[in-house]
Amino acid sequence: MTINNDIITEYQALVAQIHQYDYHYYVLDDPIISDEDYDAVIQRILQLEKADPAIQAADSPTQRVGGGLASQFEAIAHAIPMLSLDNVFTPQALTEFNQRVLSRLEWSSPDSPQNITYAAEPKIDGLAIALRYENGQLVQALTRGDGRVGENVLENVKTIRAIPLKLRAPYPQLIEVRGEVFMPKSGFNALNEAQQAAGEKPFANPRNAAAGSLRQLNAAITAKRPLAFYAYGVGEKSSDVVLPSYDATIDRLNTLGLPTCPLFEVCRGVDALIDYHRRLLNVRQSLDYDIDGVVFKVNETALQQQLGFVSRAPRWAIAYKFPAEEKTTTVQAIDIQVGRTGALTPVARLAPVSVGGVMVTNATLHNADELARKDIRVGDTVIIRRAGDVIPEVVRYIPTYRQPNALPYRMPTACPVCGSEALKLDEEAVTRCMGGLFCRAQLTQSLIHFVSRKAMDIEGLGDKVIAQLIENELVRTPADIYRLTHDALVNLERLGDKSAANLIQAIEDSKQTTFARLLYALGIREVGEVMAETLANEFVDFAVLYTADVEALQTIDGIGPKMATFIHTFFQQPHNREVIDALIALGVNPKNSQPSTPITQAGNHFMGKKVVVTGTLARMSRDQAKAKLKALGAKVQSSVSSQTDILVAGEKAGSKLTKASSLGIAVMDEVAFYQALDEIESAFN
């Protein structure tokens, strides 16, 4: 049946009207139609689509109702990682951040500008989301996840009216819009009233409500939740997207029909940043959304690229958090938790109290020295503090309310889990259980860490399952996880046939991992994700790492004497090597992220060389240059020293070039660097 052209014209015009109304409402904050009239247009669109479903457009507003059920969310790798931000809490720390920016840009000379321009906006307490638009159409919506891999919650995101299903023309071929999904306070209060009226549990705070709403398996539920959205940046993009600055990015996002925070400003110099923070702190309570600080970003894109990144955060941005919130409660008990390294940590069990919208029932007391210094006792009335996502801490007790019979707490001399001797070594503040893997608590925590998402990422192997595996003596070391069978798992409590099969598959899938992930999973003291990546970049495999002594380890950026000792000692222990060898024998296949072919062939000028990159490069960013060098086996350093072999110097190389010349270090200009890369590429192709 042929659709009447007049009907098509009317339908397309109505859909375009709704997009225009949404743009004025969410982006311009200037509604041009009443709610009643808006609903009337929606009803007419529904009527036309019901009469002939073939007419329905992909960007129809009726696609927001959310009727589908998702059995699970698809995990997808971010094209560009979604990084976290470093935090500061004081004007002095913010000033130090600004000084680091100026220093890295080498703006310290008399003729350099001293006040850099920053973009400033509130740090909204919501959930980060990456929206992928292809030819203007919304095709993917990924949560942050672990920063590298997120979950595709597209169907749920489609229900959020502030997010356009199709961008306003002219739109680029590809643009990934990054922003924050949040729940306004007014909507949160109305939602909780409805929850209580229905006899259901209210949400703790707007962020929890937003998180729960966005990850609903039934998008129809998400559609009923009052979610909002502000865009704050761009990830992957096609070449037709040119964004010379952050304020230009905000303008482009607005013209595409995406809402951004109206409190965005451009500030020059650190004094203006401190003033912006003060002003937002003063209006914080009057806003209809929760903010826990402000975010400052170097405004110019070229300067951002020059500054680059460190570990998992950009050097060109910082979050200046608001002062911690404090509340008063009472200490009901002091318990001891035993960690995976045997550390005995005293924990205050508290009378429940809401701090910053989060119900707090316990707080760490850190160690025996800290506990003695604060003199916290059972029965004390205490002040607790929570800043943003920081773990709550006990600030101090209130002497007026201390009970006469309250006794000082004494750390145990025996492990409360295994009964082994608990000692406090002279050079440490921590009391440790000497039971090693004999201690069930240490084994439990070690295994929980080993299977965690950022380590071996074995989905389904949670705390309760691990406890049962240990209780039934099925697992004594991490290697035993890879010896588990379906028959052994299916007999565990609450683990049926399907769950056991899924877990066996998850264990099998985890065998294909990276050298860095496995290093992190081993739980070496002081070796976190970043240091694991560093070690993986420095060493080809375990065989090479086994031979590294303390002195050799200390030549690596970021490794001091203490960490070097921990790493060396770990790999010299026979039982640790036995576990690693068993993991490899059982099929765990840790691949180094660096390709082996280039670094083993002759003609590679950079293999094994210590290289520093400085200045501005024309064909690539400094981060891209460093990535290429690492892939070729170079050891990329951040600063020039007598140990440096090569300095790659782009335009405005500055003090590093001067220092390299004075030390007699080989210097490659940009032309020579590209020529060397081209020669290597030609040799290997």
Side-chain angles (χ1 to χ4, degrees), residues 284-297:
R284 176 187 189 184
Q285 299 303 325
S286 65
L287 298 176
D288 193 32
Y289 46 86
D290 282 338
I291 61 174
D292 57 3
V294 297
V295 175
F296 299 123
K297 305 173 185 177

Side-chain angles (χ1 to χ4, degrees), residues 89 417 429 468 579:
F89 294 89
V417 175
Q468 289 188 73
V579 170

Side-chain angles (χ1 to χ4, degrees), residues 49 64 70 75 164 176 194 234 271 320 367 401 419 430 506 550 596 609 634:
E49 290 180 344
R64 298 186 184 278
E176 182 193 274
V234 172
D271 290 341
Y320 186 2
N367 54 56
Y401 300 112
V430 177
V550 173
S596 58
K609 301 293 186 181

Side-chain angles (χ1 to χ4, degrees), residues 214-504:
L214 196 60
R215 298 194 77 257
Q216 287 290 328
L217 295 181
N218 187 348
I221 298 176
T222 308
K224 297 176 182 178
R225 301 285 171 83
L227 295 175
F229 171 78
Y230 280 149
Y232 60 64
V234 172
E236 188 181 16
K237 61 185 186 298
S238 51
S239 58
D240 53 343
V241 180
V242 180
L243 304 171
S245 63
Y246 189 74
D247 58 334
T249 300
I250 294 297
D251 288 343
R252 183 67 186 277
L253 291 172
N254 288 159
T255 60
L256 290 172
L258 291 147
T260 57
C261 183
L263 296 178
F264 164 78
E265 291 184 17
V266 175
C267 303
R268 179 175 291 277
V270 71
D271 290 341
L273 302 188
I274 294 171
D275 178 65
Y276 180 87
H277 180 271
R278 177 190 57 77
R279 286 187 281 120
L280 258 67
L281 182 58
N282 289 338
V283 301
R284 176 187 189 184
Q285 299 303 325
S286 65
L287 298 176
D288 193 32
Y289 46 86
D290 282 338
I291 61 174
D292 57 3
V294 297
V295 175
F296 299 123
K297 305 173 185 177
V298 172
N299 191 41
E300 293 183 41
T301 304
L303 297 184
Q304 291 181 5
Q305 293 173 346
Q306 187 174 340
L307 288 163
F309 303 85
V310 56
S311 65
R312 297 185 180 275
R315 289 195 179 100
W316 42 266
I318 201 77
Y320 186 2
K321 303 298 273 298
F322 288 143
E325 292 193 55
E326 296 183 345
K327 289 289 182 69
T328 301
T329 187
T330 57
V331 178
Q332 298 178 327
I334 296 177
D335 295 337
I336 296 294
Q337 289 183 345
V338 183
R340 62 184 173 88
T341 63
L344 271 59
T345 302
V347 176
R349 305 300 180 190
L350 307 168
V353 62
S354 178
V355 186
V358 175
M359 191 60 66
V360 175
T361 57
N362 53 63
T364 179
L365 295 166
H366 300 291
N367 54 56
D369 290 350
E370 185 73 359
L371 179 57
R373 184 182 70 80
K374 292 183 177 178
D375 189 24
I376 305 300
R377 306 181 187 184
V378 175
D380 278 352
T381 298
V382 295
I383 295 173
I384 62 169
R385 172 188 296 153
R386 179 180 177 273
D389 294 327
V390 177
I391 297 172
E393 67 167 332
V394 177
V395 180
R396 60 183 175 86
Y397 76 93
I398 302 175
T400 305
Y401 300 112
R402 171 163 282 176
Q403 302 298 316
N405 59 348
L407 299 175
Y409 184 82
R410 297 284 180 257
M411 289 291 291
T413 56
C415 173
V417 175
C418 71
S420 298
E421 186 177 12
L423 296 177
K424 181 177 178 297
L425 304 179
D426 291 340
E427 68 273 15
E428 290 191 329
V430 177
T431 301
R432 294 189 187 277
C433 166
M434 298 292 105
L437 291 181
F438 170 74
C439 177
R440 183 168 293 169
Q442 291 185 59
L443 176 58
T444 300
Q445 295 303 318
S446 294
L447 292 176
I448 289 172
H449 172 77
F450 183 84
V451 306
S452 63
R453 186 175 62 182
K454 295 180 180 179
M456 297 303 289
D457 191 21
I458 303 179
E459 187 176 353
L461 198 50
D463 301 8
K464 293 181 180 179
V465 176
I466 287 174
Q468 289 188 73
L469 293 174
I470 296 172
E471 181 70 30
N472 290 278
E473 298 186 349
L474 293 172
V475 173
R476 294 180 178 83
T477 76
D480 290 333
I481 290 172
Y482 295 92
R483 297 187 176 101
L484 292 171
T485 64
H486 179 275
D487 290 344
L489 291 174
V490 80
N491 290 322
L492 298 180
E493 184 181 354
R494 297 179 182 177
L495 203 65
D497 183 76
K498 184 177 180 181
S499 296
N502 290 340
L503 182 49
I504 288 294

